Amino acid sequence: GFKSAWYLLQLTNICMKLEIITFISQQINCQEAILHISNGNTNREYCIVYNQSWTPLNFDLYITTYPNWISPDVVKGKALVVMRGDCDFSHKALVAQSLGATTLLIASNNTLVTPSANDSEYAKVHIPLALTRYRDFLEAQQVFGEGMQVQLYAPPHSKIDPSIAVMLLIAIVTVALGGYWSGACERDRLNSGTEGGGGDGKADSGELFLYSPLKVVIFVGLMCGMLVLMYFFYNVLVYIIIAIFCMASASALFSCLDAVMEKIGCGTVSFSVRNWNFSVRSLILAAVCISIAVVWGVYRNEDRWIWILQDLLGIAFCLNFMKTISLSNFKICVILLSLLLVYDVFFVFITPFFTKNGVSIMVQVALGPDASGEKLPVVMRVPRFSAWAQNLCGMQFSILGYGDIIVPGLLVAYCSRFDVWINSRRKVYFISCCIAYLLGMIMTFAVMLLSGMGQPALLYLVPFTLITSAVVAGCRGEMRQFWAGTNYEVRGPEKIF
């Protein structure tokens, strides 16, 4: 046979000698861990990926650089870093183990994957091994040189992450603001003498009223068809969706900022060019909004910070949608929310039985078929603050789809407008529906944490909001008006709830 030293020479382009220091790490269920490098003054942390069930981590390492040639005497009692190459993980580990190495780190130029082997090979390997990025080792050599103090550890992974509270805050604030804005627009329309209700399907302020059950069914059917098309033609349609999102979110952000400027009484200067009237404030706001959308479009895959702009544009998009699209009565609310509840549950829980990889169509479309490819900008994203090891390998996010904000938000907006129609100074319907939405979101996150899997949020949000709104209307004796919506009569003093 071939000598062990020759085998190891074929496995690596760089080799490092790592002296073992006693260390016991906490075992966790994830596959990511941390490579901590220090020279006493400077500290750096890098991503490593390992197979916990095969080779758990439980020690520290002291690294010094070593030439590209090695001998069995040098390897014995040390830990090695080798290039990924074409050999099996178990083959590399067995060669290093036969030379007396205590640990094997595999530097890879490609995407990090969890090291695995045939079942018959697992029992033969008795030394830990993990994968890391080759560029991280090159950076470590440049920063630290020789004599690096290295620690491999896997921090405990917490199911409850503070990002959930941030996501909950974003959701409830967006829904509440969107409902308030819709109610304020309805109040302005009534004060200006415009008849409410939207019998013609369109209001003077630009709102579009959804008042036909048939149109609701067609709308949900189009959503289903679009989702299926995204599943089969994701690589093409994703760029169309991104372009549409940039234009729609820039317009929505302009609408939101312009409304804020108008609310705080920020004046503007107008001028005319060839019979065209221009507002200085509008031009500045348009330039800012377009710039933000363009920056997001260019740097949309920079996970470290671009999520802030995506959430900002997403909030504006949801607010403008809730203000623009109005449900004309509670009957339409019930039909739309019920159909979308079935839609959400079907594409999350049922479609895994039909897909090849057993993953739901909803999840694959929302996250993208390839972790390194383009992703649809249809979710709020907040980094997981406690996932230190995972974030080094790739930012981990808590996500919430826009639909989980917009769909219940349309009902909240209807409740807000109904409060205006009946002169409810206490905003009973609006506040009750917001509280119901908050409780539904808390229930969603609680079930998600207990089950350890993502949940279709509408499964909890729709019953909470619909039932609460119906109970409030029933207790106040206004169910007929609440159900019909457009056939209201403006009342005088408010009824005590």
Side-chain angles (χ1 to χ4, degrees), residues 348-415:
V348 172
F349 287 146
I350 306 301
T351 55
F353 295 103
F354 305 103
T355 57
K356 295 180 180 179
N357 55 5
V359 180
S360 70
I361 290 179
M362 185 77 74
V363 171
Q364 293 188 64
V365 170
L367 300 182
D370 185 355
S372 62
E374 297 286 355
K375 297 180 178 63
L376 288 176
V378 293
V379 294
M380 301 292 183
R381 300 196 300 168
V382 177
R384 291 180 55 85
F385 303 119
S386 63
W388 300 112
Q390 295 90 335
N391 284 339
L392 285 173
C393 297
M395 290 291 290
Q396 304 295 308
F397 292 92
S398 296
I399 64 174
L400 181 68
Y402 291 170
D404 299 328
I405 296 176
I406 291 175
V407 174
L410 293 175
L411 175 58
V412 173
Y414 171 72
C415 290

Side-chain angles (χ1 to χ4, degrees), residues 429 470-482 491 495 497:
Y429 288 91
V471 168
V472 171
C475 292
R476 290 170 59 90
E478 298 169 341
M479 176 55 76
R480 177 174 296 182
Q481 288 177 310
F482 192 62
R491 295 211 318 254
K495 178 184 291 186
F497 181 53

Side-chain angles (χ1 to χ4, degrees), residues 85-388:
D86 298 324
C87 297
D88 296 334
F89 295 116
S90 57
H91 186 189
K92 293 176 181 290
L94 290 173
V95 172
Q97 183 174 284
S98 67
L99 295 176
T102 57
T103 304
L104 180 64
L105 297 178
I106 302 173
S108 175
N109 280 320
N110 300 320
T111 303
L112 297 182
V113 296
T114 303
S116 60
N118 296 328
D119 294 339
S120 60
E121 301 292 329
Y122 284 133
K124 299 178 182 179
V125 178
H126 306 294
I127 62 173
L129 66 90
L131 266 71
T132 189
R133 299 186 184 100
Y134 177 55
R135 68 173 184 266
D136 290 343
F137 275 99
L138 295 181
E139 177 184 321
Q141 285 182 307
Q142 294 176 356
V143 174
F144 297 97
E146 299 185 359
M148 294 180 282
Q149 179 71 32
V150 172
Q151 181 184 23
L152 272 69
Y153 67 102
H157 176 61
S158 175
K159 287 187 176 181
I160 302 178
D161 190 87
S163 62
I164 294 179
V166 177
M167 187 66 71
L168 182 64
L169 180 63
I170 290 176
I172 186 62
V173 170
T174 303
V175 165
L177 285 178
Y180 176 82
W181 193 8
S182 181
C185 291
E186 183 68 19
R187 185 182 302 107
D188 292 339
R189 185 162 52 248
L190 291 177
N191 292 337
S192 64
T194 303
E195 183 181 357
D200 58 352
K202 188 172 182 178
D204 292 345
S205 64
E207 289 190 39
L208 298 176
F209 278 84
L210 195 60
Y211 60 91
S212 169
L214 178 60
K215 290 184 178 180
V216 171
V217 174
I218 294 174
F219 173 72
V220 176
L222 291 175
M223 289 183 59
C224 295
M226 187 61 186
L227 189 62
V228 173
L229 287 176
M230 286 298 304
Y231 176 73
F232 288 105
F233 304 102
Y234 185 91
N235 293 332
V236 176
L237 294 178
V238 65
Y239 294 102
I240 298 177
I241 299 298
I242 288 174
I244 294 174
F245 175 76
C246 287
M247 293 184 290
S249 62
S251 175
L253 185 60
F254 174 85
S255 179
C256 294
L257 294 179
D258 189 59
V260 172
M261 292 292 185
E262 192 71 27
K263 186 69 175 178
I264 63 178
C266 181
T268 184
V269 178
S270 301
F271 62 93
S272 299
V273 177
R274 294 184 178 181
N275 296 326
W276 289 85
N277 295 322
F278 296 93
S279 167
V280 174
R281 185 183 73 187
S282 297
L283 290 176
I284 294 175
L285 286 180
V288 170
C289 295
I290 293 174
S291 299
I292 292 175
V294 170
V295 170
W296 177 85
V298 174
Y299 296 100
R300 62 186 178 276
N301 293 319
E302 296 290 336
D303 284 340
R304 298 292 173 181
W305 58 273
I306 202 63
W307 61 271
I308 299 175
L309 290 186
Q310 180 168 328
D311 288 353
L312 173 64
L313 294 173
I315 291 172
F317 179 84
C318 293
L319 289 175
N320 193 61
F321 194 99
M322 293 168 57
K323 177 256 182 183
T324 303
I325 306 297
S326 300
L327 306 183
S328 60
N329 53 60
F330 188 59
K331 178 178 70 174
I332 295 297
C333 293
V334 172
I335 296 173
L336 178 63
L337 269 66
S338 299
L339 288 177
L340 290 177
L341 167 61
V342 175
Y343 160 90
D344 207 17
V345 171
F346 175 80
F347 281 103
V348 172
F349 287 146
I350 306 301
T351 55
F353 295 103
F354 305 103
T355 57
K356 295 180 180 179
N357 55 5
V359 180
S360 70
I361 290 179
M362 185 77 74
V363 171
Q364 293 188 64
V365 170
L367 300 182
D370 185 355
S372 62
E374 297 286 355
K375 297 180 178 63
L376 288 176
V378 293
V379 294
M380 301 292 183
R381 300 196 300 168
V382 177
R384 291 180 55 85
F385 303 119
S386 63
W388 300 112

